[in-house]
Amino acid sequence: MKQILHLRVNGQPFEVLAPVHHTLLEVLREEMDLTGTKHGCELGECGACTVLVNDVPTLSCLTLPVEVQNAEIATVEGMADGSTMHPLQTAFAENGAAQCGYCTPGILMSARALLDRTLEPTEDDVRQALSGNLCRCTGYTKIIDAVLQAGRDLKLRRAIHPT
Amino acid sequence: MVTGQTHPDEARQWEKTMATATKEQETEFSIIGKRNPKIEAHQKASGETRYAGDIKLPRLIWAKLLRSPHPHARIRSIDASRALACPGVQSVITGADMPVTIGIMPTSQDEHPLAVDKVRYVGDPVAAVAAVDEETAADACRLIDVAYELLPPILTIDEALTREDVKIHEHSRRANVHREVHLDFGDVEGAFAEADHVQEDEFFFEGTTHAAMENYAAVAHWELNDKLTLWSSTQVPHYLHRELAKVFEVPKSRIRVIAPPVGGGFGGKSDPFSHEFAVALLSRRCGRPVKIVLDREEAFYTHRGRHPVRMHVKTGVKNDGTITAVHFQSILDGGGYSSYGLASTYYTGALLGVTYRIPAYKFDGTRVYTNKPACGPKRGHGTTQPRFAFECHLDKIAEQLGLNPVEYRKKILTPPYSETVNQLRVTSSAANECLDRVVEASDFGEKFRKLPYGKGVGVALSCYISGAGLPIYWNDMPHSGATIKVDRGGGVTVYCGVADLGQGCDSLLAYIAAEELGVEPGDVRVVAGDTDLAPVDLGSYSSRVTFMAGNAVLDAAQKMKRQIFAAVAENLEVPLERLAASWGQVYDTDDRTRCVTFEEAAILAESACGTLATVGSYKPPHLAGNYKGSGVGPSPAYSFTSCVAQVEVNTDTGHVRVEKLWLAHDCGRALNPVNVEGQIEGSAYMGLGEALLEESAFRQGLHKKPSFLEYRLPTFLDMPPVESIIVENPDREGPYGAKEAGEGPLNPVPPAIANAIFDAIGVRLDATPFTPEKVLRALARVPGGRGQGTGSAGIAGRTEQSDPRGLSRRRSSATESRPTATANGAGS
Ligand code: FES
Ligand code: FES
């Protein structure tokens, strides 16, 4: 059975017709063509499908869209500001933090939630915040470097352009 | 060449050439060696990269595989009528529809795209369904009635070696042995007789899996003009292309395989797989594109991961530690099919001599079939297990002889430019420097045998191939080819058959073309992993891409450069040898104001010689020895890696915590240091996982841990800091002197951790993974081994605890190896 869902994704309202039991991950990828969000297990064990729901990192493979109808959902596609990449994205690109890149969208979302809380996370904070995201390529080292660098960049940017 | 001997003339000559070349080049490089972002970095950091599983085509339908629930059974009948009657089901296929044997190695073809007659492991694909959506296909699979006649499963190495009454494959001559190989070099008996001591040990390396984050995915579109296009997350588009043509009996020219960016491979995507054939045939039957994405549990069963290997090592040494002879025996638990198993078997015995001088060497390798998912190549293919064994074994010898483990290793190193006893040509090697650098960085000398009880450091050294010297199927053609096209706008396109798995090969090829032509990497487009568009590259395995595809692209780029320079030289009236190219300009090195832009240069060249395209190729020199089996092991160059691990062992819980890893890797030259560090760190991570956490273990043929919750990959919290040290020692045959970096750094990690555990608590763990249970069991065997948490134990005391009987015995009382481990049957 299909139903009409009202979702807000990356600041835009959407009306989507999807089977009721499909997960948010499936709806994003199959119904909305937002394939940036990845599936690594669909069991809540890898973090590849992480999106933000009202700024909280959430596993979209364990979320039913009906539960988040009134929430703000953010995916990796909404991270850049037009063609300007988010400092986290730039830092990932510059530091070689994405090898195959498959884990990257999920990790970016978790990292973004961390930097929303603090721009000066310790290495330990980063490890804790990203502990639900698996990466099989990088050994995590360069991801940690990238997140710390992005924190510094954002801080500098806010100092120059206070909002 | 003489065994273990340097060739002074050759070595000196090359050192000289390289020294000059290096110096000249270093000042000149504008791209090579720089910390550039990868050319696709921004797509990856924005979710734009399209993997196979992201592909959507008009009229796409979905497929699902039906897999065997039994480890070993004969298929009596398959009735698909209930499935076919389901609304939405388009087609059902079974093994009978593709009755052609396949296999990655031409000499062991023992698989079918879908099982024919028999299933050989839980998860063996039996049938496939195409339906309007994935759920319908999955539901329909459950309605296929398969009548099985159950057969007794063979689940252990010992059963496989002895059960003559049950044959997993009829072709096994002895019980369930897949292959036995025996090699003998030098006077082994005599050399053991000359030894002052003989050390013998048993080791076991547990099977592990790749667990790439991206699951297997494929989309097939068999068009009505009878052409097939298959997009697949594969490391080997070329081999897949060949197998598809064979199974479907269509000309290769009608098949196109595309490997979109792959979400991690590590060897796991190097075989032709059931799902790839299934979607192709279903698409042909349905006249629509068909897509399949395996789920995580299926990936654990698809496997082709690291072989569990039982090893027996016997080494004769002089009083000063000089090795007189080595006898290495391995038995590999291969699972249900051969995959790369023949190569894996040879690899367990091939490379020991590349690191250390072994004047006499005997190797017996046996691979058996068991009713479990087939094993195959995983990062470090076949060399990770023997390296673990041998580096722990050497550590014991050093301990017995009272030698420092670093000095000892340095003393017995195989010199550069020499030949091993099994006829491997060793060229450049910075193994010595790798050891020095890692010791210095980790302060090993200050820590070894000096840290308080419970803390310790360990060292290990290893080597790896920069691509195999021989192709998988015998042929005289290049191993890698490339085309470079330059357009009138100055755009450069590189075409090469490699598949980028995240290791960054597209970028490396772009750097090489950019360096030669003097443009920026961002100006270079790389068309890779497409059998229609790009010249053949054998695939992204065996750490071959940087070396081989790199050389092919370098060849093509240099030809292009010559054409362009010739035209510019004429136009500027400057001698050709005075021209150089960088940062988008071609200029006179004596007078930089005499220059043209690269775009102008391209127009000049195209006006002079017509459309600009060049080709390049690479084929390694003839490297195989003169014996059967000499095809596995040769490589145009070997990389070397040293590792120091520092651990803390909790003797109450048995928990091992790695505090830090230091790795020094001789990659010849780092074409991009960021990528090389990334490979070192990723390898260290994977080695750590294999040492401490990961195991592909089975119960009654069922995977015990077919999910990320159970099969424990190290997380952000498990991973210690890694210090990666790049040792540059340009190789004479690598592109700009580069050698591999993607696999070698994994190998020294498990033994360095094992050796560190010995330093910490005086017990040897000779079986991976080093779980708390194993640590506690080993401690329990040591008199007073537990509860020693207070104060530090002296070296003598600790040695006594762990090894009271000295050399020439098989197992120390404090050794935790697999209890059933014996090498009986290996080679007999
Ligand atoms: S796909 Fe959601 S956690 Fe793995
Ligand atoms: S970059 Fe490949 S899984 Fe993280």
Side-chain angles (χ1 to χ4, degrees), chain A residues 97-104 107 134-138 143, chain B residues 213 263-264:
Chain A
Q99 284 189 22
C100 79
Y102 201 80
C103 67
T104 311
I107 290 184
L134 292 171
C135 169
R136 196 57 167 163
C137 299
T138 60
I143 297 176
Chain B
M213 281 298 121

Side-chain angles (χ1 to χ4, degrees), chain B residues 379-381 383-384 387 461-465 543 639-642 663 665 679-680 683-684 740-749:
Chain B
R379 203 174 201 171
H381 187 194
T383 69
T384 305
R387 185 54 62 185
L461 176 75
S462 72
C463 65
Y464 200 65
I465 54 174
S543 267
S639 73
F640 294 85
T641 320
S642 61
L663 288 98
H665 180 69
Q679 290 303 313
I680 297 175
S683 294
E740 79 88 34
E743 302 187 55
L746 187 152
N747 284 350
V749 176

